[in-house]
């Protein structure tokens, strides 16, 4: 897999960018030149210079330091959300596809109902009901986004459970749990991993967007979407307060998209864009 990614220049760029982001987030206390929440009104909207490479915001806080600490929040929350929706979608979809019958019918009707609503708008509504906080937007995004994984997992299980090696395992007396664990899951996990990698960028965008609307991170938490929201009033006077947080979101989403495309080709090129078609149908 790594060899295949290494041969794809775009995927390699995405992989290296993700590694850099992880490195920056892990070492944020040592890499940040200033306290990300320290307020110094005398330095309000200070332009970029040697001491403040990305300038300061309206409260005199170092934008570079806030961006560095923001990596932890953006990546950490995105990983948690993707892990939850991956696990929930896999469990629901795999059980529905393998057991079938009324269980499959009930679960898929729930999935159909949730897919009928615009996902981000539904998540905004849930987060607005629960109240503004990072935990609440994580819960809202998890409640909304698992359905795509469930539909894909169900389709993969329906296809795999009729394969000869699964039929042979069933005929030999293997239990449903053993068949699922040893024969079906290993053969269906690759496209879901690809989807999860691609979804990292989408989830980061959703988290940033909801924080921009005031539903996520609250001041003085250094989060990229909240930084954009705080800086929009000063965009013309001090454009760096929005350019750098926006650039950080752009690079991060692009990195995961490039890595996801590379993983798709390396792990299971048969699926390609069909993953996305199945997710929304």
């Amino acid at each position: 897999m790594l060899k295949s990614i290494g041969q794809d220049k775009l995927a390699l760029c995405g992989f290296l960018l993700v590694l850099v982001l992880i490195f920056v987030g892990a070492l944020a206390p040592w890499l940040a030149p200033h306290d990300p929440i320290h307020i110094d009104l005398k330095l309000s909207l200070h332009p970029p210079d040697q001491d403040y490479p990305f300038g300061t915001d309206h409260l005199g806080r170092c934008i570079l330091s806030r961006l560095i600490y923001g990596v932890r929040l953006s990546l950490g929350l995105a990983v948690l959300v993707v892990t939850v929706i991956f696990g929930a979608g896999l469990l629901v979809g795999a059980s529905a596809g393998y057991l079938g019958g009324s269980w499959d019918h009930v679960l898929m009707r729930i999935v159909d109902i949730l897919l009928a609503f615009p996902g981000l708008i539904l998540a905004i509504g849930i987060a607005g009901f629960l109240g503004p906080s990072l935990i609440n937007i994580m819960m809202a995004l998890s409640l909304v986004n698992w359905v795509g994984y469930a539909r894909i997992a169900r389709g993969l299980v329906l296809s795999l459970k009729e394969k000869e090696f699964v039929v042979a395992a069933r005929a030999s007396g293997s239990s449903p749990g053993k068949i699922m664990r040893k024969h079906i899951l290993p053969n269906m996990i690759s496209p879901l991993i690809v989807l999860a990698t691609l979804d990292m960028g989408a989830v980061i965008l959703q988290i940033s967007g909801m924080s921009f609307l005031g539903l996520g991170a609250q001041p003085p938490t250094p989060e990229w979407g909240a930084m954009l929201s705080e800086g929009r009033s000063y965009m013309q006077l001090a454009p760096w307060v929005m350019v750098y947080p926006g650039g950080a979101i752009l690079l991060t989403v692009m990195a995961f998209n490039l890595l996801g495309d590379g993983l798709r080709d390396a792990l299971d090129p048969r699926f390609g864009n069909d993953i996305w078609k199945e997710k929304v149908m």
Side-chain angles (χ1 to χ4, degrees), residues 25-43:
L27 300 181
W30 294 274
L31 294 177
H34 301 280
D35 186 340
I37 62 174
H38 176 69
I39 295 175
D40 188 349
L41 295 179
K42 292 184 292 185
L43 293 172

Side-chain angles (χ1 to χ4, degrees), residues 127-150:
F129 176 78
L130 295 175
S133 77
L134 288 172
I135 298 298
N136 288 343
I137 65 170
M138 185 183 76
M139 293 173 59
L141 291 174
S142 298
L143 288 171
V144 168
N145 289 333
W146 65 271
V147 292
Y149 289 81

